[in-house]
Amino acid sequence: MGDMTIEAPKTTPKHIYSNVTADYDIVVVGSGPGGLSAAARCAQIKAKHVLLEAESHASDTIYKYQKGKHVMAEPSILPLRSHHNFKAGKRESVLGTWDKELEELGVNIAYGKKVNGINKDEATGVFKITCEDGSSMTSRSVILGIGLQGNIRKLGVEGESLERVQYTLADPEEFKGETIVVIGAGDAGIENALGLADSGNKVFLFNRSDEFPGVKDGNIALITDADKNGSVKIHYRTSALKVVETGAEPPLMLHYNGPDGEGQIPCHRMICRLGAIPPRKLVESFGIVFPSPSPVAIPVLSESYESNVKGLYIVGALGGYPLIKQAMNQGHDVVDTLMGLPVVPVDEVLLKEKIKHYKPNGSVGEVLDIIGKNVPLFGTMSKLQLREFLLDSTILTPKTGDVIFKKNDYTNTFFSIVEGVAEVDVEGKDGKTIVVKLTQGQYFGEMGLISGRRRSATIRAGQGCVLLETPRKAMLKLMASVEDVNKKIDESFIRRAISTHLAPQLSYDAITELMAGGLEAKKYNARQVIFKQGDTADGLYLIRRGSATVSNIIGGKEVVLSYVTAGNYVGEMALLSDAPRSATVTATVLTEVLVLNAETFKTVLAKNPQWRAAIEAQVMKRVKTNVVREDSGSGDTDLINFLMKQGLGEATDVLIIDESLCVQCNNCETACAETHQGTSRLNRAAGFTYQNIHIPTSCRHCEHPHCMKDCPPDAIRRSEHGEVVISDSCIGCGNCERNCPYGVIQLQVQKPPKPGGLLSWLLFGLGAAPGKRAPDYDPEATKKAVKCDLCRGMDGGPNCVKACPTGAAVRVSPEKIIAAT
């Protein structure tokens, strides 16, 4: 059965608590995937068992999926270890297979048995399980696989309980010709949206994020394709504000907040798929302890899935493992553990490969113990969570002096120091470089992880350095699921941002005092005002992510004074002078800020005269710059506003063409094509123009690249120098092309170089000699994504710029553009 051959033991194994007298060896509560797999293993090895199911049918979790839902077999890298078959297929097929196998395997299942009590007699070690119908039984052990379905999350806004605001969807074909908003961009929400669209409804999907973290790759491809063809409209970074009944047609009005501010959608109904939280009160009544009061906290489990109550095991979603294959493997392994059979975790071989360069003769358990002990950031994670985390990460053992990354690199992985030392080059008070040592247990890389900007320092491996490198996607997933990790990384980001950009003069204790005064996190959509000229100063604004413009009203017109990127700060002038705000600050893209309390800022400033002098010097520098900007008039402001609308607020490198110099020879496009196997990544004529400044269709290498979101093979990366590049592992799914808001990615079959024109061949050596025929290529070959890579690895910079005979084409950062206007 399953992906692995599982043999029955030659003799009936004995339960590890076989000296205890009870009705059953094992009582399994809940017939979800984990419970079914556990019961099937019990039946196969002849363990005395019963499977208790509250409903009149098995597999209620899958049963409540929408009709026709395609059930995926994830994670794909893990084999299946179960006596129930499971492979990707329709809901009905999966249920049919499992129902048939329940009978064939001889599983002892009891329906209509809703468990309301599990109590352990500490004197005898026997569990008493009671049900709502008044029946009870005793068992040597219990496997709890009840899932989370009984505790569905509500919308949390006005109107959440209206009749047409639904939290489940059994059959998408029940509704036709309606306008329906689906809220929740997990697998369930995506599948509901796709099903409703197929039934002829107008469907909107709200995603609070700008990515689909944790969603199966197949679903990401399907929903982004639906967005492209118009059958589903995805609203990213959007959340509901309230729902009201209109008393007309359509009957609901949804008020929401999105990247462009507040909006409304009239609709017939809403399908809210917001997940569920553990049935905590019930589970705690069984004696199980949760590690924190957070409603999303999950019980701490041992490596064998045992809870704090000896003999009571938890499998599946309740233990933090919602994927079907994971739950089935767990159910099988718990039974083997209880019956004294040897158990090797199904991911053991994969993890052994991960640790071989670090501890070639060590065990996976030993390495997990070292990571959990040596890195406090991961101290609250269970062994099971650490196993999953290590699967996504890489253990590095660099030599002393090896560069991990350089200052101004654009890499965005996260590093934890498992052993030894890492050395950081920091600019001292006298302007000279000093080396600061980071020791075992510390971590770095959170600035790039969160802000998307360049690395703020060069870091090298010190003596005995062992690092755990984690990709951005895996780290964001961990931060979303483990509250303590998210809190610690946020605090570290704030401390490093303060010490790097705001107050390098301050001691550790002074920064701690500054942070202790209170930090308020705020989020602003593109073109939303952060604070206005004339407002009372309420604090210092540290930009965590995104960017902003600083402007003033001069002669009745707005004049942009400066452009501020992530990691920097605004608002210090008013705090120093105790005067109202002297300028207006506006977000250029989705921007997150952290506000330092005004009074605490002033208190710490007064105690540290060296810092105050540095802040005052910065203020004087900004004032001089602003005076020059004010004298330039509003024409430059109009140009800056144009540039911001073209996405420069989130760009790191932009191609600009000065049309007063351009002779339209098209050498830039030709050079690009000849550099990239015949396919130009640049469309010179396309794009927008203001005055003589033209922004052609070419990649902007965004600080948080849209194309990087939801790439199934993780083929798009930012290189250490900032280029956003697509690797050969691209599978041609088209997600990046659909996600790019600037239309700079195309799917192409790789072509041979085109023959060059005579002039470009003679003057610049571009292309093959004129007249040579390019070799044929297979037009049926798989198309792959292509985009500008800034001619990475070539001397002299991008060839589009080098090939321009008049100097009209330049590639430049937004900061330099703003400074030059």
Side-chain angles (χ1 to χ4, degrees), residues 142-222:
V142 176
I143 300 175
L144 196 59
I146 59 175
L148 307 178
Q149 280 206 43
N151 286 264
I152 293 175
R153 285 178 181 269
K154 290 291 189 77
L155 195 55
V157 301
E158 177 187 337
E160 67 173 10
S161 298
L162 293 174
E163 183 180 354
R164 287 175 175 262
V165 179
Q166 304 173 202
Y167 294 90
T168 60
L169 177 66
D171 187 359
E173 294 187 2
E174 183 181 349
F175 309 110
K176 297 183 185 296
E178 294 189 348
T179 298
I180 301 175
V181 179
V182 178
I183 297 185
D187 287 304
I190 288 172
E191 289 156 3
N192 285 176
L194 293 169
L196 290 165
D198 288 344
S199 297
N201 298 288
K202 182 179 181 180
V203 181
F204 298 87
L205 177 67
F206 279 19
N207 183 354
R208 294 187 65 178
S209 174
D210 52 9
E211 301 182 50
F212 291 97
V215 173
K216 299 181 183 74
D217 292 341
N219 276 339
I220 293 172
L222 290 171

Side-chain angles (χ1 to χ4, degrees), residues 507-522:
S507 66
Y508 185 92
D509 290 341
I511 293 177
T512 300
E513 182 181 357
L514 193 61
M515 294 171 62
L519 288 162
E520 183 181 3
K522 294 185 177 182

Side-chain angles (χ1 to χ4, degrees), residues 398-404 421-423 459-463 465 467:
K399 297 177 182 177
T400 301
D402 283 356
V403 173
I404 308 304
V421 174
E423 298 178 343
I459 298 187
R460 297 178 178 82
Q463 188 68 35
C465 185
L467 300 172

Side-chain angles (χ1 to χ4, degrees), residues 404-434:
I404 308 304
F405 56 69
K406 294 180 181 178
K407 184 176 181 178
N408 293 325
D409 281 356
Y410 261 115
T411 53
N412 58 7
T413 51
F414 182 85
F415 295 87
S416 313
I417 305 175
V418 179
E419 290 183 14
V421 174
E423 298 178 343
V424 187
D425 289 349
V426 178
E427 186 177 324
K429 297 176 183 178
D430 57 0
K432 295 181 180 179
T433 299
I434 59 175

Side-chain angles (χ1 to χ4, degrees), residues 2-162:
D3 296 339
M4 302 179 68
T5 301
I6 305 169
E7 295 182 0
K10 293 182 172 59
T11 58
T12 303
K14 292 185 178 181
H15 194 283
I16 58 174
Y17 306 129
S18 57
N19 59 322
V20 175
T21 301
D23 297 331
Y24 296 100
D25 293 330
I26 301 172
V27 167
V28 183
V29 182
S31 67
L36 279 179
S37 184
R41 183 58 169 164
C42 286
Q44 200 264 343
I45 62 175
K46 296 182 171 49
K48 193 175 183 183
H49 72 283
V50 64
L51 173 58
L52 304 179
E53 170 52 53
E55 303 298 330
S56 59
H57 51 262
S59 317
D60 191 52
T61 300
I62 313 298
Y63 188 87
K64 287 181 177 175
Y65 282 175
Q66 69 181 45
K67 292 182 179 179
K69 169 183 164 66
H70 182 75
V71 182
M72 297 183 184
E74 299 286 342
S76 58
I77 62 170
L78 290 182
L80 176 66
R81 183 181 286 172
S82 177
H83 290 277
H84 274 293
N85 277 300
F86 175 56
K87 59 183 179 180
K90 295 292 184 183
R91 158 193 177 271
E92 290 75 12
S93 174
V94 172
L95 289 174
T97 297
W98 287 352
D99 284 344
K100 180 182 178 183
E101 290 176 346
L102 273 172
E103 185 174 347
E104 291 177 349
L105 293 167
V107 171
N108 180 26
I109 184 169
Y111 296 104
K113 298 292 182 180
K114 187 172 184 179
V115 172
N116 60 4
I118 299 175
N119 296 285
K120 183 178 181 182
D121 186 328
E122 294 299 335
T124 64
V126 173
F127 287 92
K128 183 178 181 180
I129 300 94
T130 58
C131 302
E132 285 188 354
D133 64 1
S135 61
S136 65
M137 64 216 69
T138 59
S139 180
R140 294 170 174 170
S141 56
V142 176
I143 300 175
L144 196 59
I146 59 175
L148 307 178
Q149 280 206 43
N151 286 264
I152 293 175
R153 285 178 181 269
K154 290 291 189 77
L155 195 55
V157 301
E158 177 187 337
E160 67 173 10
S161 298
L162 293 174

